[in-house]
Amino acid sequence: SAVISQKPSRDICQRGTSLTIQCQVDSQVTMMFWYRQQPGQSLTLIATANQGSEATYESGFVIDKFPISRPNLTFSTLTVSNMSPEDSSIYLCSVLRQGTTGYTFGSGTRLTVV
Amino acid sequence: RKEVEQDPGPFNVPEGATVAFNCTYSNSASQSFFWYRQDCRKEPKLLMSVYSSGNEDGRFTAQLNRASQYISLLIRDSKLSDSATYLCVAQDSSYKLIFGSGTRLLVRP
């Protein structure tokens, strides 16, 4: 399976600021996704990161709040903009490599907004 | 109604017990199914894929019933290290994963 480096692993941020999370994969992957896991809950898909074009967002998530970049097949970023305490959560990237069925997850970014 | 539904538990069982988790999904177009395991403060990790023919991996057996839109996971001879949250996951035609809320398992000595 793919090896994912997700950074930062955790951060504490002031409200109104923005944080960019990076996801680097050790090999080219077909699909990259960004998820959010709020305390005590399961994972919710934020968006699919598309290489060289705008991400595809799920209902309830918008580009202005969660801008995503994917400049190539091994790297993506998620920015959490204008943060509020409600954005405190774990953010995870996930990848699917062509020809495989198993999705691999990054180790997550634990974000606390104060 | 959630797309993927699971009993949240917790299931509290003694070591050596057999425990079964059930899951239902609402989107009949879902293409693939998985069980993931998530330990506290860790990312989800793939436990096994689920097939209609059923599949077994050591002490773990997974089964899919497409007609009933039902998925199961059976764990035999439970170990303390099996304590975790088990996530039932459906993949749609866009390769997106839809997660259930998870079933928490506690295996006691």
Side-chain angles (χ1 to χ4, degrees):
Chain A
S1 59
V3 176
I4 302 174
S5 172
Q6 185 175 338
K7 295 178 181 179
S9 59
R10 60 179 64 234
D11 208 340
I12 300 174
C13 301
Q14 296 287 329
R15 67 180 67 199
T17 63
S18 298
L19 175 72
T20 296
I21 302 167
Q22 298 182 0
C23 180
Q24 177 74 55
V25 192
D26 69 339
S27 58
Q28 293 186 352
V29 293
T30 309
M31 311 287 290
M32 294 184 79
F33 305 91
W34 287 98
Y35 288 84
R36 179 173 74 182
Q37 187 170 28
Q38 293 179 301
Q41 298 189 28
S42 192
L43 285 77
T44 300
L45 180 63
I46 298 172
T48 303
N50 300 309
Q51 191 226 339
S53 63
E54 191 172 291
T56 304
Y57 290 85
E58 297 301 302
S59 175
F61 298 95
V62 295
I63 188 171
D64 289 347
K65 176 66 176 176
F66 297 101
I68 288 170
S69 78
R70 188 181 173 191
N72 56 52
L73 291 175
T74 64
F75 184 77
S76 179
T77 66
L78 167 73
T79 299
V80 186
S81 302
N82 188 25
M83 288 183 284
S84 67
E86 292 71 36
D87 295 321
S88 297
S89 188
I90 299 172
Y91 293 85
L92 301 109
C93 68
S94 175
V95 304
L96 175 66
R97 200 156 49 182
Q98 189 172 14
T100 68
T101 56
Y103 294 71
T104 306
F105 285 82
S107 54
T109 297
R110 186 175 296 271
L111 170 63
T112 302
V113 184
V114 297
Chain B
R1 182 186 172 190
K2 291 182 180 178
E3 284 194 57
V4 178
E5 296 208 59
Q6 296 179 250
D7 181 343
F11 285 63
N12 191 325
V13 303
E15 267 188 296
T18 295
V19 61
F21 302 143
N22 302 319
C23 168
T24 58
Y25 62 96
S26 60
N27 185 356
S28 59
S30 297
Q31 304 212 329
S32 300
F33 304 88
F34 309 93
W35 284 101
Y36 274 76
R37 169 190 169 133
Q38 187 172 29
D39 292 286
C40 188
R41 294 178 171 265
K42 299 286 188 181
E43 73 275 20
K45 293 190 177 176
L46 179 65
L47 180 64
M48 58 199 308
S49 301
V50 189
Y51 306 111
S52 298
S53 55
N55 50 306
E56 186 174 311
D57 183 1
R59 298 181 292 108
F60 299 84
T61 301
Q63 188 76 51
L64 165 66
N65 184 323
R66 283 194 180 271
S68 303
Q69 296 184 194
Y70 172 92
I71 301 160
S72 64
L73 176 68
L74 184 75
I75 305 175
R76 292 179 297 277
D77 188 21
S78 299
K79 311 292 185 190
L80 294 177
S81 57
D82 293 334
S83 297
T85 297
Y86 290 82
L87 302 167
C88 178
V89 186
Q91 176 198 307
D92 72 9
S93 56
S94 301
Y95 298 97
K96 295 184 293 187
L97 296 183
I98 311 300
F99 284 80
S101 56
T103 299
R104 192 168 166 218
L105 172 64
L106 302 172
V107 181
R108 63 181 187 271

